[in-house]
Structure formats: structure tokens, C-alpha cells
């Protein structure tokens, strides 16, 4: 093919292809769309759970010798996101700080007390590979080994927090997922609590044990669930 003929053929080919390319771009909304599945983790606006607790510890104060005591309890909490720190590309996602109210009932088998206050938790959005930790502070009142008086309480917890409602899947050209309004989370964790009564002689208790949300131990079972992977 001679050079003038080759140039004319190339120009005709470009003119014939151009309208088709423009139409294809218009169909794609001006951006390329590829077949790619994105798996993401989006915390809900409010996440709540409840737990059962069992353990034991020691009690003393007022000059009396320390004695061993059992500890049983039930409680609930609801948390909202306060801040996220770090890059989403980090394994497990950015670190997140959550806060909200908590309530509970505990007993040392000598009586019952009600408690409540503020909880602050620290973990990761997708997978807290080293565990999720929380601090609960507050107070309460009851008639038990601490006596019929108000008391202060602080509890430190650490363990697995599993939020399956965070999991979402979408195509590369689908809109970003929107957070759910409210979602249930589950898990299991160790706890350590310290209590002191606002009364003469300041009786105190220190207890340790296990807190768990019962459905965490029910099917379906998976390594993702046991590890607290929420994506």
C-alpha cells in the first residue's frame, strides 16, 4: 500500500472509531467501570451489645481482713464513633475510638447493686488484631458486701469484638456504602473491676473474670468470627 493510501486508510479508521468510543464513554458515565468486587467495613452510627459476666475476687476495708468473693453480672452498652486514627490501608483498618453509656447489675451473692456510667473502647474498624479494649467508669448503689451505700466503679476489658453488620460488598462503580443506623455486636472478653463505697471505712472490692455475649458461641462458626474480623 502506498504511503498516501495508507494515511487515508488510517484517517478513515480513526474517524469511524471515534463516535463509538465517545458513546462507550457516555454509557460509562465518563469513567471506566471494571468488574471488581470491593469488600469493606463500615461502622454503624450506633452499635450495641449486652453481656453476662462471671468471676471472683477479694473484698476488704474498714480494718476487716480481705475475703474471697464470687462475682456475677449482666449488662448492656451502646457506643458511637468518636474518632478514627491512621490509614485505611493499614491491616485491620484505621484505629477507632468509640464511646457511649453502659448499665449493669452485679452481685457477690450477698445482695444486688445497679451501676451505670460511660464506656470508652479502642480497637480497629476491620479487625482489631491485638484485641479491642475498653474502660468503663461510673457508679451505682445497692445492698451487698459493700453495704447499702453509693459506690464508684472502674472496669477494664479486653478481648474479641465482632461486628458482622459492618461487612459490605459492592462493585467498583457502585456508590460508597452508607452506615447503618443501629447494629448489634457480639464478643467475649476478660475484665477487671475495682469498686469502693462512698461510706465510712471505705469498703472495697477487686474482681476478675469473663464477660461474653451468649450468641457469640452459637452457629454459624468461622475463624473470622473467632478473630473478630468485620469485613
Amino acid at each position: 500500500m502506498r504511503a498516501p493510501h495508507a494515511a487515508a486508510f488510517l484517517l478513515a479508521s480513526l474517524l469511524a472509531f471515534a463516535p463509538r468510543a465517545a458513546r462507550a464513554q457516555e454509557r460509562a458515565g465518563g469513567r471506566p467501570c471494571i468488574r471488581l468486587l470491593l469488600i469493606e467495613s463500615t461502622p454503624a452510627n450506633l452499635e450495641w451489645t449486652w453481656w453476662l459476666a462471671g468471676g471472683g475476687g477479694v473484698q476488704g476495708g474498714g480494718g476487716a481482713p480481705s475475703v474471697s468473693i464470687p462475682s456475677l453480672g449482666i449488662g448492656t452498652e451502646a457506643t458511637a464513633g468518636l474518632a478514627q486514627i491512621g490509614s485505611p490501608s493499614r491491616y485491620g483498618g484505621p484505629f477507632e475510638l468509640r464511646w457511649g453509656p453502659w448499665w449493669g447489675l452485679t452481685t457477690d451473692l450477698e445482695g444486688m447493686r445497679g451501676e451505670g456510667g460511660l464506656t470508652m473502647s479502642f480497637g480497629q474498624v476491620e479487625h482489631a488484631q491485638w484485641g479491642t479494649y475498653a474502660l468503663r467508669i461510673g457508679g451505682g448503689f445497692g445492698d451487698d458486701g459493700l453495704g447499702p451505700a453509693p459506690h464508684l466503679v472502674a472496669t477494664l476489658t479486653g478481648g474479641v469484638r465482632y461486628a458482622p453488620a459492618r461487612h459490605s460488598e459492592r462493585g467498583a462503580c457502585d456508590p460508597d456504602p452508607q452506615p447503618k443506623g443501629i447494629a448489634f455486636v457480639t464478643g467475649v472478653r476478660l475484665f477487671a473491676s475495682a469498686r469502693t463505697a462512698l461510706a465510712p471505712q471505705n469498703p472495697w472490692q477487686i474482681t476478675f473474670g469473663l464477660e461474653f455475649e451468649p450468641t457469640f458461641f452459637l452457629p454459624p462458626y468461622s475463624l473470622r468470627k473467632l478473630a473478630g474480623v468485620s469485613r
Side-chain angles (χ1 to χ4, degrees):
M1 182 179 296
R2 297 179 180 179
H5 293 167
F9 176 78
L10 179 60
L11 179 61
S13 299
L14 291 175
L15 292 175
F17 176 77
R20 294 173 185 165
R23 287 194 297 271
Q25 187 178 30
E26 183 179 358
R27 287 197 301 269
R31 61 174 180 168
C33 288
I34 58 177
R35 293 183 177 275
L36 178 66
L37 179 65
L38 300 178
I39 301 175
E40 297 174 315
S41 182
T42 305
N45 293 329
L46 189 71
E47 296 180 343
W48 76 278
T49 190
W50 72 284
W51 67 83
L52 299 175
V58 293
Q59 174 178 288
S66 299
V67 295
S68 299
I69 58 169
S71 176
L72 300 175
I74 184 172
T76 184
E77 70 178 25
T79 61
L82 181 61
Q84 291 188 8
I85 307 168
S87 170
S89 62
R90 177 193 302 272
Y91 177 75
F95 295 102
E96 66 167 348
L97 184 65
R98 304 184 64 83
W99 70 334
W102 69 273
W103 304 269
L105 294 172
T106 62
T107 179
D108 58 8
L109 304 184
E110 290 189 19
M112 184 73 67
R113 59 180 168 268
E115 301 175 329
L118 178 71
T119 183
M120 300 279 291
S121 72
F122 183 76
Q124 284 180 272
V125 170
E126 298 173 0
H127 175 210
Q129 52 187 317
W130 305 112
T132 297
Y133 298 89
L135 174 65
R136 296 198 300 263
I137 56 175
F141 186 88
D143 187 4
D144 57 10
L146 292 178
H151 67 274
L152 301 178
V153 58
T155 298
L156 181 65
T157 68
V160 174
R161 186 178 190 272
Y162 178 53
R166 292 186 177 189
H167 180 94
S168 65
E169 299 178 0
R170 66 182 180 93
C173 293
D174 294 333
D176 293 338
Q178 297 301 308
K180 296 178 174 60
I182 185 169
F184 181 73
V185 299
T186 183
V188 59
R189 53 189 175 262
L190 299 174
F191 78 85
S193 294
R195 295 176 176 86
T196 181
L198 301 176
Q201 300 180 336
N202 297 111
W204 52 266
Q205 291 180 351
I206 297 177
T207 56
F208 306 87
L210 185 71
E211 292 181 353
F212 60 94
E213 197 285 308
T215 64
F216 183 79
F217 299 104
L218 300 178
Y221 301 113
S222 69
L223 292 177
R224 289 164 49 89
K225 180 179 179 180
L226 293 176
V229 181
S230 299
R231 72 177 296 250

